[in-house]
C-alpha cells in the first residue's frame, strides 16, 4: 500500500471546518489562561443589574409591570452587545502582535481566523448569559413563559451577538491600534444600548430620541426577549412595526448583518493578509 493511499483526503469544506475549529480552540485556551477576561466581561452587567434594580428601581416606574422584570431583558441585550466587542479588540490586538502574519504563513483558510474569533466570543457570551441569568434570579427576575419560548429567547440573544461580532471584527481590522477600538466601539454601543427601551420605556424619551429608540435594533432585541421570557406584563408597546413584530425585526437584522459584514470582514482580512 502506498503512503499516499494511507493519507486522509480533505475536501475544502472539511479543511475550512477544521481550521475554524482550531482557531476557536486557540482563542478559548487564551481565555482559560486569562480568566480575568471573563471576570471583567460579567462584572459590568452585574453592576448594572444591582445599580438599576436596587438603587434606581424606586425612582423608575413602568406601567403594567414590575421594573426588575422590565429591566432584565435590557441587561441581557446589553451584555451580549457589549460582549461582541471582544471580536474587535482581539482582532486589533492580533494585528498589532503579528499573529495574523503567522496565520498567513500557514496553509489554512483565510476566513478561519474570523470564524474562530466570532465562535469563541459566542462561547464567552453564552457563559456571560448564564451568569447574568443567575444574577437576575437573585434580584427577583422570573421567567413567565414556556421552556421552548425561554430557549428561543436565549437563542435569539446569542444569535444577535454572533452577528454583531462580525460588525465589531470589521471595526477591529479597520482601526490603527487596539487602543482606538475601545473608544470607537463605545461611540456605537452607548447610543444603541442607552437610547433604547432597555432601561426605560421609549415613550418617556424626547421625540427625536424616542423615534431613534423605536427603530433601534437593540430595542427590538429587548422587546423580543421580554416577549419570549414572558416579562411584558401589560406595559404598552409602541404602535410601530418594529415593536409590534420584534422577533421578525431581530431575525431580519441578524440576516442583514451576516449577509453584509461576513463578506466585508473576509475581504478586509484578505486585504490585510496580502500586505
Amino acid at each position: 500500500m502506498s503512503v499516499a493511499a494511507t493519507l486522509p483526503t480533505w475536501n475544502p469544506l472539511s479543511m475550512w471546518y477544521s481550521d475554524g475549529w482550531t482557531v476557536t480552540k486557540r482563542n478559548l485556551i487564551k481565555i482559560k489562561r486569562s480568566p480575568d477576561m471573563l471576570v471583567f466581561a460579567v462584572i459590568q452587567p452585574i453592576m448594572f443589574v444591582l445599580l438599576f434594580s436596587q438603587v434606581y428601581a424606586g425612582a423608575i416606574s413602568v406601567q403594567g409591570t414590575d421594573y426588575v422584570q422590565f429591566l432584565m431583558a435590557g441587561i441581557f441585550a446589553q451584555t451580549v452587545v457589549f460582549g461582541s466587542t471582544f471580536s474587535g479588540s482581539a482582532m486589533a490586538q492580533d494585528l498589532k502582535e503579528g499573529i495574523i502574519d503567522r496565520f498567513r504563513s500557514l496553509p489554512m483558510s483565510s476566513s478561519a481566523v474570523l470564524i474562530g474569533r466570532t465562535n469563541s466570543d459566542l462561547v464567552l457570551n453564552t457563559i456571560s448569559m448564564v451568569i447574568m441569568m443567575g444574577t437576575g434570579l437573585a434580584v427577583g427576575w422570573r421567567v413567565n413563559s414556556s421552556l421552548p419560548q425561554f430557549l428561543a429567547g436565549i437563542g435569539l440573544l446569542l444569535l444577535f451577538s454572533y452577528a454583531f461580532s462580525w460588525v465589531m471584527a470589521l471595526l477591529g481590522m479597520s482601526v490603527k491600534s487596539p487602543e482606538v477600538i475601545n473608544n470607537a466601539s463605545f461611540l456605537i454601543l452607548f447610543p444603541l444600548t442607552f437610547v433604547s427601551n432597555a432601561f426605560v420605556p421609549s415613550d418617556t424619551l424626547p421625540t427625536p430620541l424616542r423615534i431613534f429608540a423605536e427603530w433601534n435594533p437593540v430595542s427590538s432585541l429587548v422587546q423580543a426577549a421580554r416577549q419570549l421570557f414572558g416579562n411584558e406584563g401589560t406595559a404598552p408597546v409602541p404602535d410601530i412595526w418594529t415593536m409590534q413584530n420584534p422577533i421578525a425585526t431581530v431575525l431580519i437584522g441578524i440576516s442583514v448583518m451576516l449577509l453584509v459584514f461576513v463578506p466585508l470582514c473576509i475581504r478586509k482580512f484578505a486585504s490585510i493578509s496580502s500586505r
Side-chain angles (χ1 to χ4, degrees):
M1 182 181 296
S2 65
V3 175
T6 63
L7 293 177
T9 57
W10 295 87
N11 59 55
L13 182 60
S14 61
M15 290 183 64
W16 174 82
Y17 176 82
S18 176
D19 293 342
W21 175 238
T22 299
V23 179
T24 300
K25 287 193 294 184
R26 173 251 179 188
N27 294 330
L28 293 177
I29 291 172
K30 188 176 180 180
I31 294 173
K32 181 181 178 180
R33 292 175 177 172
S34 302
D36 53 315
M37 293 175 60
L38 180 60
V39 172
F40 286 108
V42 299
I43 282 180
Q44 182 175 333
I46 289 176
M47 289 176 60
F48 273 108
V49 171
L50 298 177
L51 179 66
F52 279 90
S53 67
Q54 307 302 312
V55 179
Y56 294 152
I60 301 176
S61 177
V62 179
Q63 180 183 349
T65 185
D66 176 71
Y67 184 65
V68 172
Q69 310 308 314
F70 177 88
L71 170 69
M72 288 310 301
I75 295 291
F76 296 148
Q78 183 199 50
T79 299
V80 297
V81 171
F82 273 51
S84 303
T85 60
F86 282 106
S87 290
S89 58
M91 289 301 300
Q93 189 66 36
D94 284 347
L95 285 169
K96 179 182 179 180
E97 295 177 350
I99 301 298
I100 302 301
D101 293 331
R102 299 180 189 177
F103 285 141
R104 184 176 59 181
S105 65
L106 299 174
M108 62 185 296
S109 169
S110 60
S111 64
V113 176
L114 297 168
I115 295 293
R117 181 69 268 160
T118 52
N119 283 351
S120 58
D121 287 346
L122 180 61
V123 174
L124 184 61
N125 263 327
T126 302
I127 297 172
S128 298
M129 278 287 296
V130 172
I131 295 173
M132 291 312 305
M133 287 187 171
T135 306
L137 291 172
V139 298
W141 171 72
R142 296 294 182 267
V143 177
N144 301 307
S145 60
S146 65
L147 179 60
Q149 287 176 307
F150 170 67
L151 295 176
I154 295 175
L156 196 67
L157 286 162
L158 293 177
L159 190 57
F160 186 92
S161 77
Y162 179 75
F164 200 74
S165 292
W166 288 91
V167 180
M168 302 311 296
L170 181 63
L171 181 62
M173 291 186 288
S174 302
V175 298
K176 298 296 184 181
S177 67
E179 292 75 19
V180 177
I181 186 66
N182 288 330
N183 292 331
S185 60
F186 279 127
L187 290 176
I188 299 173
L189 298 180
F190 267 74
L192 286 176
T193 54
F194 286 98
V195 188
S196 70
N197 62 354
F199 302 105
V200 295
S202 59
D203 59 10
T204 63
L205 301 174
T207 300
L209 297 182
R210 176 181 59 78
I211 294 173
F212 178 86
E214 289 173 347
W215 291 93
N216 183 347
V218 173
S219 291
S220 298
L221 179 64
V222 172
Q223 187 64 29
R226 287 189 183 123
Q227 189 177 104
L228 290 169
F229 294 152
N231 297 145
E232 287 182 299
T234 58
V237 179
D239 189 21
I240 61 171
W241 195 88
T242 55
M243 292 293 99
Q244 294 292 329
N245 303 275
I247 297 175
T249 302
V250 173
L251 291 174
I252 291 171
I254 290 170
S255 300
V256 170
M257 283 191 287
L258 291 175
L259 289 172
V260 172
F261 287 96
V262 170
L264 287 177
C265 281
I266 293 174
R267 185 179 303 175
K268 182 68 175 179
F269 185 81
S271 174
I272 293 172
S273 299
S274 62
R275 293 175 185 172

